[in-house]
Amino acid sequence: MIVTQPRRAVAVALALWAALNGSAVHAADPNPDAGALALESAPVDPPAPSGGGLKLSLEAAVGRAWLRGPGSEHRSLRRGSVDIVYATRFAPQWQFVFSDRVDALHPSDGDSTVNSLRELYVGWQDPAAQWAVEVGRVNLRQGPALGFNPTDFFRDGALRVSTTVNPLLVREYRLGSVMVRAQRMWADGSLSLALSPELDDRPDSDGWSADLGATNARDRLLLSLSTRWAASTSSQLHFYAERGGRPQVGASLSSLLGDATVLYAEWAWSREPSLLQRALGQDLARQSGHRAAAGLTYSTSTKLSLTAELEYNDFALSSGHRKALATAAPALFGAYFFEAQRRQDLAARRSVMLYAKQTDAVWRNLDLTALVRTDPEDRSTMAWLELRYHFPNVDLSLQGLQYRGRAGSEFGSSPYRRSVQALATVYF
Amino acid sequence: MIQTTPPALSRRACLLALAASAAFPSFGATDAQAMLAASDAIRNPSRPFSVTVTLTEYQGGAQVDTSTLQSYSRTLSAGGQFVSLIRFVKPARDAGKVMLKAGADLWFYDPGTKASIRISPQQRLLGQAANGDVVTVNFAKDYTATLAGTEEIQDGERKLRRSSRLKLESSTDDATYAQVELWLDADNHRPLKARFFAESGRLLKTAYYRRYAAQLGVERPTETVIIDGLNPQSVTLLRMSDYAARDLPTAWFNKDHLPRFQPE
């Protein structure tokens, strides 16, 4: 007779073991994700042809600007822009880049149509991508700060047109400088040398000019060392020299703090004319000074990104001196601000910038961006606000800008009090 | 005559079996890590590769957006974590933008502004590129796995599958998520489902891996369904296509190379 008790005992033991380990096999509960699993992907596009890419956008803007002063005198604003970027790898190690923008503006201080040849260069890199050389007009931008970049040594004279105060958008207008640039890259850094020759001695106001005089008015050299110290920290050191000037040094740092905060700082030292002396054409005068910018960007889980930045410029006039200049020499006061804008330099000794962007604000694809700049010395402010809605290939946006401050203050001296404009951008 | 086992000896054997199972709980942990590594090898090729990722976003069952990324990934050392270059292809407004992900070193490059900007993990999590990199990540590198049991679950094709459930705890600073629950096919370690949690325990996303097809020599999931943990009505489908083995120099994954990144 076969005894069944041992098999039953083993079965009980197995059941107990399974219960202790929580591994009971049970029928699946109704799946709350069933609806999501029933969805289908969009058709997959065929692979894009290799070798090159053209990016084209068209933009139209209409608006109104109210002038400062008594009454409600205003001007209408109109602009049409074409933006082209073409980059192609025409041989295994060779690259060609062309970047251009045409703006038709009303009103305009000069030609109503302005072409900005931003980049036109040929680049080479070795198969291991450790060496790279570029020759031509290259937009060499430096610095992690958002609103003011003391280590961006090729920034002066690089704007033919500026139709926005948003520092991120201003960068899209910027001209490169003609140069030869070589860079050696390794896992945790790079070393680059840029040599930019003098090609013309003054800017050209002709709207269709390549305007080499704006970016290549003197021989220049920039040596930069980039180092990645850790996964979350990197720095750059710069040595800059130009014919007829004294060498300048600069440094920048960016670092991650926790999961949601990026810290950054830039600093540059030089011995050069002050901004006022440059406005007066007194380029031989020299004073030592520092420029600096430091800030942080904090991002929330609700798609809000906040940036706060402090900016400093030893070569700018103090609030008191600006006010005196505004009273004693209004024309020179205007030239001072024009020179600051031309050089993309800070017109005030100190400035505070706050930048906020809410993605998917209230509705999906609707972004809200706000920018506030304030001069803590004269307490003038500039505030800019944009609502932008993204369709698949079209953006519609509404922008508002306001300047506040007393006469002689940094933002109180703008010819406009406020402006509004609507924009439509089509991407191809 | 049939010989029988004395009842007293069989009870002792059962007790010994129970005691043995309690005395070796750590056996499951080692096995779990190997299972996790096996599932990583199913999701990701072991050599440098590129893949096109088509993202389709749904809100409340209605399609609201599509975008396309190209991901170029490799490990910098054998068995290491992936580093990725994610190039935006569509929509047109974002075409040409690039994100570099190397652990906590995250950079975003915009060719329009010529700016390489360091971004935080939080910023990356809020973009579609974050969903794209759910694809190329080796969990075994950044997480410690323990076997939490076996159960039958509904897979991405809504079929019941017997699965092993792993609990993953982040073990490095580079880990994107604090905890992950991962279900693997009990027979072949194919990833079936995953849930990703923040440090607070909040569910961030649920992913289903499906549409297995031969890619670069292995049957891999070619579609991932990602359900937003905060808003389950928000669903993103990632379709992976055009897997290709690539020669990706390590210098490409240097942020100073981003302005020159133009894959052939």
Side-chain angles (χ1 to χ4, degrees):
Chain A
M1 187 175 70
I2 297 171
V3 178
T4 59
Q5 197 167 350
R7 282 202 286 274
R8 187 179 302 141
V10 169
V12 167
L14 279 172
L16 274 174
W17 179 83
L20 283 171
N21 287 277
S23 61
V25 176
H26 54 81
D29 292 332
N31 190 349
D33 301 327
L37 296 177
L39 299 173
E40 295 288 327
S41 284
V44 174
D45 289 331
S50 62
L54 173 68
K55 194 170 175 183
L56 172 68
S57 65
L58 305 177
E59 187 168 85
V62 294
R64 180 169 288 184
W66 284 264
L67 297 173
R68 194 171 293 279
S72 301
E73 190 178 347
H74 57 80
R75 287 184 187 169
S76 66
L77 306 173
R78 294 191 300 274
R79 174 172 61 84
S81 303
V82 179
D83 195 301
I84 300 171
V85 179
Y86 178 68
T88 184
R89 190 168 292 284
F90 61 90
Q93 275 104 258
W94 294 88
Q95 185 184 36
F96 170 76
V97 173
F98 168 70
S99 176
D100 192 87
R101 185 181 176 99
V102 181
D103 294 286
L105 306 156
H106 171 82
S108 175
D109 294 332
D111 283 7
S112 60
T113 302
V114 179
N115 182 65
S116 300
L117 178 59
R118 294 179 299 207
E119 290 194 303
L120 180 65
Y121 70 86
V122 173
W124 169 89
Q125 57 181 300
D126 70 316
Q130 291 179 337
W131 286 98
V133 178
E134 285 112 18
V135 179
R137 190 169 225 177
V138 182
N139 187 358
L140 184 56
R141 238 201 101 260
Q142 308 279 6
L146 182 62
F148 175 52
N149 299 106
T151 62
D152 191 11
F153 294 101
F154 283 93
R155 69 183 184 279
D156 64 303
L159 286 179
R160 302 199 84 200
V161 170
S162 180
T163 62
T164 180
V165 297
N166 184 335
L168 288 178
L169 298 179
V170 166
R171 294 170 182 178
E172 295 186 1
Y173 290 90
R174 181 194 160 113
L175 299 177
S177 297
V178 177
M179 66 176 63
V180 176
R181 182 185 181 219
Q183 189 170 34
R184 170 75 165 91
M185 288 169 283
W186 54 90
D188 292 322
S190 71
L191 181 68
S192 72
L193 175 65
L195 301 172
S196 181
E198 177 184 344
L199 296 176
D200 203 342
D201 59 356
R202 65 188 64 196
D204 189 340
S205 59
D206 182 275
W208 290 97
S209 168
D211 207 359
L212 298 179
T215 58
N216 289 80
R218 56 206 180 282
D219 296 328
R220 295 193 280 182
L221 172 156
L222 177 65
L223 184 65
S224 301
L225 174 66
S226 178
T227 306
R228 178 178 179 266
W229 299 102
S232 58
T233 304
S234 60
S235 69
Q236 280 195 312
L237 292 176
H238 304 283
F239 175 84
Y240 172 82
E242 60 182 48
R243 187 178 296 279
R246 296 288 183 93
Q248 302 181 30
V249 292
S252 65
L253 183 79
S254 75
S255 184
L256 186 64
L257 182 65
D259 280 347
T261 306
V262 174
L263 303 174
Y264 59 83
E266 283 185 57
W267 163 85
W269 176 91
S270 64
R271 187 168 173 78
E272 64 179 82
S274 71
L275 205 47
L276 179 62
Q277 287 162 336
R278 290 189 186 273
L280 287 166
Q282 296 172 356
D283 291 349
L284 296 179
R286 298 272 190 270
Q287 67 181 62
S288 295
H290 304 265
R291 292 181 175 91
L296 63 88
T297 298
Y298 176 73
S299 302
T300 73
S301 60
T302 56
K303 300 184 180 181
L304 174 63
S305 178
L306 299 164
T307 300
E309 184 172 296
L310 305 177
E311 301 161 349
Y312 179 79
N313 185 8
D314 256 341
F315 300 94
L317 287 175
S318 67
S319 169
H321 286 135
R322 282 204 309 269
K323 191 176 177 184
L325 186 66
T327 304
L332 181 57
F333 181 71
Y336 172 83
F337 277 99
F338 178 81
E339 184 65 12
Q341 187 181 37
R342 189 191 72 78
R343 296 181 63 81
Q344 296 185 68
D345 207 353
L346 205 59
R349 278 283 171 92
R350 294 178 182 80
S351 185
V352 178
M353 189 197 75
L354 301 173
Y355 185 90
K357 181 170 182 178
Q358 175 68 61
T359 304
D360 295 340
V362 183
W363 287 293
R364 184 186 173 83
N365 293 327
L366 179 67
D367 297 343
L368 175 64
T369 307
L371 167 70
V372 174
R373 295 192 86 113
T374 182
D375 184 332
E377 288 187 336
D378 63 26
R379 300 187 184 179
S380 62
T381 59
M382 179 200 75
W384 178 85
L385 193 70
E386 180 191 69
L387 271 174
R388 180 175 286 257
Y389 189 83
H390 304 287
F391 291 94
N393 289 312
V394 176
D395 282 2
L396 297 180
S397 68
L398 193 61
Q399 298 176 356
L401 173 64
Q402 181 159 40
Y403 294 100
R404 285 192 167 189
R406 60 179 184 271
S409 65
E410 181 183 358
F411 298 114
S413 305
S414 165
Y416 298 109
R417 255 185 309 130
R418 65 178 184 272
S419 67
V420 292
Q421 62 177 339
L423 296 89
T425 311
V426 182
Y427 301 93
F428 298 91
Chain B
M1 190 173 79
I2 298 172
Q3 196 164 7
T4 61
T5 307
L9 183 58
S10 107
R11 277 198 294 276
R12 193 175 301 135
C14 292
L15 286 170
L16 278 173
L18 279 171
S21 70
F24 298 103
S26 61
F27 175 76
T30 306
D31 205 29
Q33 202 69 22
M35 292 164 65
L36 183 61
S39 75
D40 284 342
I42 290 171
R43 286 188 302 105
N44 298 314
S46 57
R47 54 192 144 158
F49 72 99
S50 67
V51 60
T52 300
V53 184
T54 303
L55 296 98
T56 311
E57 296 176 60
Y58 285 87
Q59 188 68 37
Q63 183 178 324
V64 294
D65 206 354
T66 62
S67 53
T68 305
L69 314 170
Q70 277 175 323
S71 178
Y72 300 81
S73 302
R74 63 165 293 157
T75 57
L76 293 180
S77 60
Q81 187 51 276
F82 277 98
V83 290
S84 298
L85 282 163
I86 297 165
R87 186 164 181 268
F88 294 77
V89 178
K90 284 188 176 181
R93 84 168 58 76
D94 294 329
K97 295 177 183 175
V98 183
M99 191 180 80
L100 168 64
K101 185 180 86 71
D105 208 10
L106 302 165
W107 294 87
F108 183 78
Y109 174 74
D110 183 350
T113 62
K114 302 287 286 191
S116 295
I117 301 170
R118 181 187 288 280
I119 60 174
S120 63
Q122 180 75 280
Q123 284 174 293
R124 182 179 65 83
L125 277 177
L126 301 175
Q128 279 301 345
N131 282 329
D133 86 0
V134 165
V135 177
T136 51
V137 58
N138 275 337
F139 292 129
K141 177 70 179 165
D142 289 337
Y143 296 88
T144 302
T146 52
L147 181 63
T150 58
E151 57 190 73
E152 206 168 61
I153 65 163
Q154 201 174 61
D155 69 3
E157 263 111 22
R158 289 174 286 172
K159 293 177 184 169
L160 289 176
R161 296 255 184 223
R162 195 162 184 281
S163 69
S164 304
R165 182 162 64 96
L166 303 184
K167 281 203 160 179
L168 311 186
E169 295 284 341
S170 63
S171 57
T172 69
D173 292 337
D174 290 350
T176 305
Y177 307 97
Q179 296 111 27
V180 182
E181 268 186 320
L182 182 63
W183 286 260
L184 307 180
D185 190 303
D187 295 328
N188 53 30
H189 304 314
R190 284 184 174 182
L192 300 174
K193 176 181 172 182
R195 299 207 306 172
F196 302 87
F197 297 89
E199 200 165 335
S200 62
R202 179 164 60 97
L203 175 65
L204 293 173
K205 58 181 77 171
T206 302
Y208 286 85
Y209 303 90
R210 66 185 192 184
R211 292 188 190 267
Y212 276 79
Q215 296 287 349
L216 290 180
V218 174
E219 291 273 320
R220 305 184 193 280
T222 61
E223 188 170 78
T224 306
V225 180
I226 298 181
I227 304 162
D228 191 303
L230 292 177
N231 176 15
Q233 292 297 309
S234 178
V235 179
T236 303
L237 274 64
L238 279 70
R239 190 70 191 270
M240 279 71 75
S241 60
D242 305 315
Y243 274 88
R246 288 272 195 164
D247 177 24
L248 302 178
T250 55
W252 280 19
F253 301 87
N254 180 331
K255 70 132 174 118
D256 295 320
H257 185 268
L258 289 176
R260 303 183 185 89
F261 178 63
Q262 192 167 356
E264 296 172 8

